[in-house]
Amino acid sequence: MKTAILALLLGLSLPALADRMPLPADTPASYKAECGSCHLAFPPALLSAGDWQRTLAGLKSHFGTDASVEGRNSQEIAAFLRRHAGDAGRLGSAGDPPRITQTARFSHKHREVPARFWSDPRVKTAANCEGCHRGAAEGRYSEHDLAIPGLHG
Ligand code: HEC
Ligand code: HEC
């Protein structure tokens, strides 16, 4: 009986997992402030611990900007990202410098998105999650919650 209920719960919750990716409850305010000012404060599970570490090590010259973080905030952010990082094997290589948008997992999830949308002026870049996912700031990535008509297929 217990197993049946568990199987039912798992069955119901699995499809919802991938499109709900809110920031973890223990997200430090420093992460939202320091890493959410130029772009979305990305969900930590979308890069591996090693790739986050490489990202943090290169903040002084971060995609053409200086995104350095000082002192205590730097340690707090590093510990947070390590704690919630995704599995390197499942994500696939993120390139150098690491990009969420270069991982095999990202490509796989977006394989049905027509090419013209990536360069659409409303989107501009693949890293602009909110350009397509209007609920991204709240962690909502459902295909039923997209910002642009016709985006899906
Ligand atoms: C001063 C602005 C700025 C700040 C602050 C900043 N970033 Fe960025 N970040 C950028 C830019 C610009 C890009 C490149 C976006 C693009 O390709 O469209 C980027 C891209 C990224 C990417 C790769 C996105 C992709 O393509 O998958 C990651 C990961 C990232 N930032 C993490 C962080 C983290 C972690 C912090 C906080 C320590 C941070 N950023 C703070 C400007 C910033
Ligand atoms: C050009 C538009 C576009 C951009 C930019 C974009 N996405 Fe998506 N994304 C989509 C579409 C469309 C889907 C639905 C794909 C499908 O169901 O075939 C999707 C699906 C997803 C899914 C899977 C949801 C599920 O139901 O499993 C996740 C997670 C996701 N996106 C995260 C992101 C993140 C994080 C970013 C930014 C780093 C991003 N997306 C940028 C269009 C975009």
Side-chain angles (χ1 to χ4, degrees):
M1 183 62 189
K2 260 195 188 142
T3 337
I5 292 171
L6 190 65
L8 187 66
L9 283 173
L10 283 174
L12 287 176
S13 60
L14 271 179
L17 277 179
D19 64 15
R20 288 279 306 143
M21 223 179 284
L23 286 174
D26 66 350
T27 303
S30 58
Y31 181 69
K32 293 180 203 163
E34 303 274 8
C35 306
S37 56
C38 298
H39 47 65
L40 185 75
F42 297 120
L46 297 182
L47 275 186
S48 68
D51 282 323
W52 281 123
Q53 202 183 353
R54 271 183 283 283
T55 302
L56 296 183
L59 285 179
K60 192 125 192 65
S61 126
H62 177 74
F63 302 96
T65 67
D66 181 348
S68 329
V69 181
E70 305 296 326
R72 212 180 132 246
N73 282 355
S74 158
Q75 288 156 29
E76 194 174 61
I77 291 169
F80 162 70
L81 291 172
R82 201 180 316 123
R83 218 163 41 241
H84 294 287
D87 180 73
R90 269 190 71 219
L91 292 167
S93 164
D96 180 28
R99 279 188 179 271
I100 290 166
T101 53
Q102 287 212 343
T103 58
R105 179 173 154 85
F106 186 90
S107 308
H108 181 73
K109 289 282 179 194
H110 293 89
R111 68 193 180 286
E112 281 169 27
V113 182
R116 65 182 186 281
F117 286 110
W118 299 109
S119 51
D120 186 290
R122 289 164 290 188
V123 180
K124 294 192 192 80
T125 143
N128 179 17
C129 317
E130 287 165 296
C132 295
H133 299 283
R134 60 183 162 198
E138 289 82 48
R140 286 184 283 110
Y141 295 96
S142 162
E143 60 184 297
H144 304 297
D145 208 357
L146 295 165
I148 305 177
L151 188 55
H152 190 227

